């Protein structure tokens, strides 16, 4: 479900939807003979785009994908967010994600990808894409080192070129506002909200694919959590994930407490001023 903010951003940026756009959530739909449902299969009725993120509605993400159409969604996911491509980070052994499903025209592939199923991306690919929302719409090349000091004593500065503007500023402001509403409202029952610092965040609870026979395991999950702060002038983005965590079914249960601890530590350590 951490893919949903990227889907929403693409939908808003392309003009396919607005924050005020509504759709009729029926709980389950059929796309190309395949049944797609919200996590619990519950219908929400007519709801605005904010609820797609606040309630993490699969059908809402599918609605945005359908509103964009395959070619537009493919452009944002593959060409602008560069999902499925190596980031070029200065670490050995980087691999690319698996996004071949977006190369075709089947509507179901785009519907499921809109909420993170049917494709697989690396953590650093996902972090780079999500950072677009925190970077004013710019895609950057992530790196760990700024310079290399040679044995000769010469220091060689490293460079990765200028960031690329892939989303409009007004788009990321809108999505950031929506993600901040998630933290200030339903996420972890409001326990992540900080009175004087705005935080934009989203959880993800994904089924794990079954390599034997296809489909997904019914009892194995990948929990993910990302957030950036302060929301409208971000200094940090934190991305957490765990494969097959035990003892809690939802990412909001496993990752909300450590995310809050990390956020408070970074705010205090770097003396980040309040923004509200």
């Amino acid at each position: 479900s951490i893919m949903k903010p990227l889907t929403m951003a693409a939908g808003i940026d392309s003009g396919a939807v607005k924050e005020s756009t509504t759709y009729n959530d029926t709980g389950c739909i059929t796309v190309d003979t395949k049944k797609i449902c919200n996590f619990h299969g519950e219908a929400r009725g007519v709801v605005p785009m904010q609820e797609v993120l606040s309630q993490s509605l699969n059908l809402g993400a599918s609605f945005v994908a359908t509103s964009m159409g395959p070619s537009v969604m493919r452009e944002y996911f593959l060409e602008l967010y560069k999902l499925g491509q190596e980031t070029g980070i200065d670490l050995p052994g980087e691999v690319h994600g698996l996004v071949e499903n977006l190369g075709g025209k089947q509507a179901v592939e785009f519907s499921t990808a809109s909420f993170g199923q049917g494709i697989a991306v690396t953590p650093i690919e996902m972090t780079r894409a999500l950072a677009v929302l925190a970077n004013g719409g710019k895609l950057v090349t992530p790196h760990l080192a700024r310079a290399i000091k040679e044995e000769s004593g010469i220091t060689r500065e490293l460079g990765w070129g200028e960031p690329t503007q892939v989303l409009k500023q007004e788009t990321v402001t809108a999505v950031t506002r929506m993600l901040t509403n998630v933290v200030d409202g339903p996420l972890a029952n409001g326990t992540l909200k900080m009175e004087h610092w705005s935080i934009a965040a989203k959880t993800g609870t994904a089924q794990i694919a079954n390599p034997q026979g296809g489909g997904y395991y019914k009892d194995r999950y990948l929990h993910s959590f990302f957030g950036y702060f302060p929301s409208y002038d971000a200094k940090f983005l934190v991305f957490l994930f765990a494969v097959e965590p035990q003892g809690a079914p939802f990412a909001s249960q496993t990752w909300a407490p450590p995310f809050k601890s990390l956020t408070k530590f970074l705010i205090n350590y770097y003396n980040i001023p309040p923004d509200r």
Side-chain angles (χ1 to χ4, degrees):
S1 290
I2 57 172
M3 193 68 75
K4 289 170 183 167
L6 295 178
T7 301
M8 185 65 67
I12 292 175
D13 200 70
S14 65
V17 298
K18 301 177 181 177
E19 284 182 84
S20 58
T21 299
T22 62
Y23 77 104
N24 183 26
D25 190 295
T26 57
C28 292
I29 58 174
T30 300
V31 182
D32 293 338
T33 73
K34 304 293 185 181
K35 191 175 184 180
I36 295 175
C37 297
N38 291 326
F39 189 78
H40 290 299
E42 297 175 2
R44 268 50 173 214
V46 178
V47 294
M49 292 296 98
Q50 176 66 56
E51 295 307 307
V52 177
L53 301 181
S54 294
Q55 298 188 50
S56 201
L57 302 177
N58 292 345
L59 295 198
S62 173
F63 169 81
V64 176
T66 302
S67 299
M68 281 190 285
S71 61
V72 173
M73 183 171 168
R74 187 185 297 113
E75 178 186 6
Y76 277 90
F77 273 49
L78 303 186
E79 297 177 26
L80 299 179
Y81 299 149
K82 297 189 182 301
L83 297 175
Q85 298 183 34
E86 294 179 16
T87 66
I89 190 171
D90 45 332
L91 281 174
E94 184 181 11
V95 298
H96 61 79
L98 305 175
V99 294
E100 287 78 5
N101 285 4
L102 297 182
K105 296 182 179 179
Q106 279 195 300
V108 66
E109 304 291 7
F110 292 87
S111 284
T112 53
S114 71
F115 52 85
Q117 280 195 335
I119 58 176
V121 297
T122 66
I124 193 62
E125 274 180 50
M126 198 66 198
T127 301
R128 175 177 65 169
L130 291 169
V132 169
L133 303 176
N135 285 335
K138 295 182 175 69
L139 185 83
V140 301
T141 300
H143 60 88
L144 299 179
R146 293 182 178 177
I148 295 176
K149 188 173 183 179
E150 307 285 1
E151 290 184 0
S152 63
I154 297 174
T155 298
R156 181 163 57 89
E157 298 289 335
L158 301 178
W160 285 263
E162 291 298 314
T164 304
Q165 191 80 37
V166 297
L167 293 176
K168 303 180 187 77
Q169 177 62 59
E170 53 266 36
T171 297
V172 295
T173 298
V175 176
T176 295
R177 180 166 50 244
M178 297 168 81
L179 291 173
T180 303
N181 289 338
V182 171
V183 175
D184 289 346
L187 183 57
N189 297 316
T191 57
L192 293 184
K193 180 181 179 180
M194 298 183 71
E195 182 179 1
H196 298 298
W197 288 270
S198 60
I199 302 170
K202 181 75 180 72
T203 65
T205 302
Q207 291 174 291
I208 292 179
N210 183 352
Q212 317 211 329
Y216 293 88
Y217 290 111
K218 300 296 184 183
D219 57 351
R220 302 185 191 182
Y221 297 94
L222 187 149
H223 287 183
S224 56
F225 196 117
F226 92 95
Y228 53 93
F229 52 90
S231 294
Y232 302 99
D233 185 21
K235 307 302 182 186
F236 291 95
L237 183 144
V238 175
F239 177 48
L240 307 166
F241 74 99
V243 180
E244 296 188 37
Q246 304 298 311
F250 302 114
S252 58
Q253 297 167 301
T254 55
W255 281 129
F259 174 82
K260 185 171 185 179
S261 296
L262 280 167
T263 299
K264 292 177 73 173
F265 171 80
L266 290 168
I267 286 173
N268 291 328
Y269 187 85
Y270 288 95
N271 197 26
I272 297 175
D275 69 325
R276 64 180 183 182

